Amino acid sequence: MKINIAIDGPSAAGKSTIADLLAARHGYIHLDTGAMYRCTAYKALQEGIALDDEEALGRMLQETKMKQTPDHRFFLDGQDVSEAIRHEEISRAASQVSRFAGVRRDLVKRQQEMASEKGYILDGRDIGTVVLPDAEVKIFLTASVQARARRRYEQDKEKGILTQTLEEVEHDIARRDDQDIHRQNSPLRAAADAVVIDTSDLSIPEVVERIDSYVQPWLKKGEQTHE
Ligand code: DC
């Protein structure tokens, strides 16, 4: 039996890393929905579309192909944008375009179509609340702004794409939290039936094990029904 797993939470809470590890463990597909908002922002900037022009963004998306490969590369209209969409400028722009209902409708539909077969782990902000309200396991990962800023800073340093001081990263994360939490359309919040895990003082393996303890009963249930 395969299930779907929703992982939501603020930026840099470790959602993507954790989702990758869980996906590898269970042979599931991890879909990084944030990358889709990033691709939208990237293309809008490339094409000179204003980030607050909801209608133009919606029209643009109708002509846009997005693809995630199993090894986590992102293709936008056939072009590999995996690294390009990680820049801080795109993080900010993605937060802006993700405010719009028209943009969300388009991307949510794509995400639901992809996950319709089960065996998916989606990470984002609205997975448990909007995209997959029936996901068998819903996790809300969070961590203090300081812990998340430090992780993002170290990650970017490792990747060689660091352009900010730690204080600047912290400031940006706090601002993005504020935008994501206070937007009108699908604001960032934990679903009523989500398990909230604060990762500030947990290691990655600890978080994976904690989540897996909610996944295992479903898999066992599936084994029993097959006996
Ligand atoms: O997870 P991320 O940093 O790659 O997300 C980029 C932006 O997209 C972030 O500001 C929140 C937004 N987002 C969203 O609104 N809904 C999602 N399901 C995923 C991301």
Side-chain angles (χ1 to χ4, degrees), residues 29-64:
I29 295 172
H30 164 215
L31 180 65
D32 174 354
T33 66
M36 299 171 75
Y37 291 89
R38 288 171 180 272
C39 283
T40 306
Y42 179 83
K43 184 165 174 180
L45 288 174
Q46 292 277 311
E47 302 211 334
I49 293 171
L51 298 176
D52 59 359
D53 189 342
E54 183 172 6
E55 250 188 69
L57 290 167
R59 273 197 308 274
M60 179 196 87
L61 279 175
Q62 284 173 8
E63 307 293 318
T64 301

Side-chain angles (χ1 to χ4, degrees), residues 1-2 4 8 10 40 52 80-81 86 88 106 110 127 131 141 143 154 163 168 173-174 178 196-197 204 208 220-221:
M1 171 187 175
K2 289 206 165 183
N4 278 335
D8 289 300
T40 306
D52 59 359
D80 187 341
V81 293
R86 297 294 156 195
E88 200 44 48
D106 182 294
R110 296 178 197 227
I127 310 303
V131 182
L141 281 190
E154 298 296 340
T163 54
E168 284 166 344
I173 285 184
D178 190 62
V196 179
I197 302 176
I204 291 169
V208 172
K220 292 213 176 82
K221 217 190 261 184

